[in-house]
Amino acid sequence: GQKRAVVDRVIRACQIQGAEIGLEELAALDLVYMKMYSGNSVWNAYHLTGETRKRKVGSTVSPNELRTRLGEQLFLYFKHTLCVRQHDGTFWLWLMVQENSRPVWTPSNIVHMVYHPTSPYIFTSTIRAEYKEYIIQALLLALGYSKAQFMDLSGRDVESLGELATRRHSQRSTSSNQSVVSPTESRPSRKRAKQDNKEPDNDVTQEDAEDKCSREEYATDTFGDKPQPKLEKVLYKLRASLKHGGIAPNMDDQPFEMTVKFTGSNVLEGMRALGAAGIAEPPLPSYLESLPYVGKNSILLAERKKSSSTDDDDGRSKESE
């Protein structure tokens, strides 16, 4: 592929000039390539919490400090090669786990990570199951946190994931951050209320124009007027109980599960277009309205229990491969 061709050209150039290129130099080149073509990987978002005494409030680390700290922790578990580079204030990490006596470069034993030192989020490419626990633990100790929680947020645009993660925790509100959202609950829209209070208009053409304008205003009011962060996939998991309605009494209160998946180049933009185009009647259900702010793309929709709150741990998705 293109990546292999670039590496071959670099190696040939070094051989012609009599220069040697080591694993760390190749790692640095791979990081440059990954930054340019980060959309070729699926990134998974983690929220780091529980700052330890080792981490001072508001403190940051340099790339060399992070490389040293993380390397010391990783060496407790396995031999490895680690490269850390800083680009525009963001740390890009390249980790290769050495499985044999000699380091062997294979896609399965390489992990790419993106870390914003001023925020409690880190984004990783897919990590093999046998290494994941050790790598996450090493990251926590190196960065001064005690817990890393997968945010049910993954995608190919790492910058968009960073924006969505920030929205989730900086604009948190009761309506937009419920771990479990009721599929029948909807947030009232002031735009819709204004439209309902209007007097009937006998001019059909004018009425259509006003309705279109109202839909566009609703879309802007709900999603904003700026381009939405890119999400290629959104997964809704519905868990409810069947209500027979007199048709099938024996099936009353039987568990019912269904999964709905939206895919596309930008699902959030597609959701915004639903109302503006008149395909979906505004206001949209709360689980669609809150999508740009909930900071996850695997969402559980469940009936609210009267006696106790519903736990969404079982509804969390596995990492995207």
Side-chain angles (χ1 to χ4, degrees), residues 187-199 214 218 221 282-283:
R187 185 175 63 193
S189 168
R190 58 178 180 272
K191 299 294 182 182
R192 181 65 180 176
K194 185 187 296 184
Q195 178 183 345
D196 290 342
N197 293 331
K198 288 182 178 180
E199 295 181 0
S214 178
Y218 168 80
D221 184 53

Side-chain angles (χ1 to χ4, degrees), residues 37-56:
Y37 302 98
S38 59
N40 292 342
S41 295
V42 174
W43 300 91
N44 301 287
Y46 290 87
H47 183 208
L48 308 178
T49 59
E51 292 185 338
T52 63
R53 293 182 180 179
K54 181 179 179 180
R55 179 182 177 83
K56 297 180 180 179

Side-chain angles (χ1 to χ4, degrees), residues 233-245:
K233 180 181 69 173
V234 174
L235 195 68
Y236 285 102
K237 299 178 181 180
L238 174 64
R239 293 182 180 178
S241 299
L242 287 173
K243 303 299 180 184
H244 64 85

Side-chain angles (χ1 to χ4, degrees), residues 102-293:
R102 296 181 58 187
V104 179
W105 184 317
T106 60
S108 62
N109 66 346
I110 293 178
V111 180
H112 296 94
M113 293 170 277
V114 179
Y115 173 62
H116 302 274
T118 58
S119 69
Y121 311 108
I122 191 165
F123 308 90
T124 74
S125 60
T126 301
I127 306 176
R128 286 174 56 174
E130 55 264 44
Y131 304 141
K132 182 177 177 180
E133 180 181 353
Y134 304 117
I135 292 175
I136 295 297
Q137 183 63 28
L139 283 169
L140 291 173
L141 293 173
L143 295 174
Y145 292 94
S146 61
K147 183 179 180 181
Q149 181 181 6
F150 177 53
M151 298 176 62
D152 288 326
L153 178 63
S154 60
R156 295 186 178 275
D157 193 308
V158 68
E159 292 185 1
S160 291
L161 296 181
E163 181 178 348
L164 290 167
T166 302
R167 285 184 181 183
R168 173 174 173 173
H169 293 97
S170 65
Q171 301 181 17
R172 175 166 296 188
S173 64
T174 303
S175 61
S176 63
N177 284 274
Q178 296 289 344
S179 298
V180 180
V181 184
S182 171
T184 58
E185 182 179 345
S186 181
R187 185 175 63 193
S189 168
R190 58 178 180 272
K191 299 294 182 182
R192 181 65 180 176
K194 185 187 296 184
Q195 178 183 345
D196 290 342
N197 293 331
K198 288 182 178 180
E199 295 181 0
D201 192 339
N202 295 326
D203 188 343
V204 176
T205 303
Q206 181 64 23
E207 183 180 353
D208 292 343
E210 289 182 357
D211 187 58
K212 179 180 179 181
C213 181
S214 178
R215 292 196 304 267
E216 292 176 350
E217 288 180 351
Y218 168 80
T220 301
D221 184 53
T222 303
F223 293 92
D225 55 359
K226 296 182 179 179
Q228 294 295 302
K230 292 182 180 179
L231 275 182
E232 300 82 17
K233 180 181 69 173
V234 174
L235 195 68
Y236 285 102
K237 299 178 181 180
L238 174 64
R239 293 182 180 178
S241 299
L242 287 173
K243 303 299 180 184
H244 64 85
I247 300 176
N250 294 334
M251 297 182 66
D252 193 23
D253 293 328
Q254 291 296 314
F256 173 77
E257 296 186 5
M258 181 176 66
T259 300
V260 179
K261 181 168 68 173
F262 296 90
T263 59
S265 59
N266 193 333
V267 175
L268 289 177
E269 285 289 355
M271 293 294 184
R272 177 164 67 174
L274 286 176
I279 299 175
E281 182 69 17
L284 298 175
S286 62
Y287 55 85
L288 294 181
E289 283 188 338
S290 63
L291 187 57
Y293 309 101

